[in-house]
Amino acid sequence: MKRPAKPSRKIQDVLRAQNISGSNLGDCPVRQVLDQIGDKWSTLMLLALSEKPYRFGELRRLIPDISQRMLTQTLRDLQRNGLISRTVFPTQPPSVEYRLTPLGTSLMTPIGTLVRWAETHYGRIISAREHFDRKADAA
């Protein structure tokens, strides 16, 4: 079986390049970015907004298992990181629309690659989980 290609950088290389060690690991730019885009709600929100701009209520209906509080916080975090923009329309009541920024759009290629990988390997991951759980139950 062919071995997968190794990542181009090891964690030590990333930390060393940023002069990060011990107590200031929270300053690592890789951690800072991946903490934001690595959670399920942010990824789902970015994928949704890559299709078209959405209003708050549309996003809530599109992802029904997200709480209003979590949706608000996720959108705020994505906006703070410059990945989405928020436009308020002067309607009665006011309506708000969210869309990807150019920075957010640039993130869609790597996220798309990750999504395709997940879809391709989902069956193998489920099988591995079941195998692990059976072994754990037997122990």
Side-chain angles (χ1 to χ4, degrees), residues 70-81:
M70 185 54 68
L71 176 58
T72 299
Q73 186 61 52
T74 301
L75 290 168
R76 190 171 290 142
D77 290 344
L78 291 170
Q79 184 182 4
R80 180 174 179 250
N81 284 298

Side-chain angles (χ1 to χ4, degrees), residues 10-68:
K10 295 180 182 176
I11 186 68
Q12 295 87 354
D13 297 333
V14 171
L15 297 175
R16 203 173 299 114
Q18 301 301 323
N19 196 24
I20 295 170
S21 64
S23 62
N24 61 346
L25 286 173
D27 296 335
C28 176
V30 174
R31 281 186 187 206
Q32 292 289 323
V33 172
L34 291 181
D35 278 351
Q36 173 60 56
I37 61 171
D39 72 86
K40 70 178 177 180
W41 300 122
S42 293
T43 304
L44 288 173
M45 209 64 50
L46 291 167
L47 286 168
L49 292 170
S50 71
E51 297 172 352
K52 67 175 194 158
Y54 280 100
R55 295 188 180 202
F56 186 89
E58 291 175 312
L59 286 168
R60 186 140 188 231
R61 286 187 295 279
L62 188 64
I63 306 170
D65 54 334
I66 190 171
S67 69
Q68 183 168 335

Side-chain angles (χ1 to χ4, degrees), residues 71-128:
L71 176 58
T72 299
Q73 186 61 52
T74 301
L75 290 168
R76 190 171 290 142
D77 290 344
L78 291 170
Q79 184 182 4
R80 180 174 179 250
N81 284 298
L83 300 174
I84 66 170
S85 64
R86 178 180 185 267
T87 304
V88 180
F89 294 99
T91 58
Q92 207 48 271
S95 59
V96 179
E97 181 183 82
Y98 297 91
R99 69 175 56 237
L100 288 181
T101 63
L103 182 61
T105 300
S106 73
L107 183 57
M108 296 320 300
T109 298
I111 286 181
T113 301
L114 181 59
V115 167
R116 284 187 298 282
W117 181 90
E119 291 170 342
T120 299
H121 298 289
Y122 179 73
R124 291 176 59 192
I125 290 169
I126 295 302
S127 294

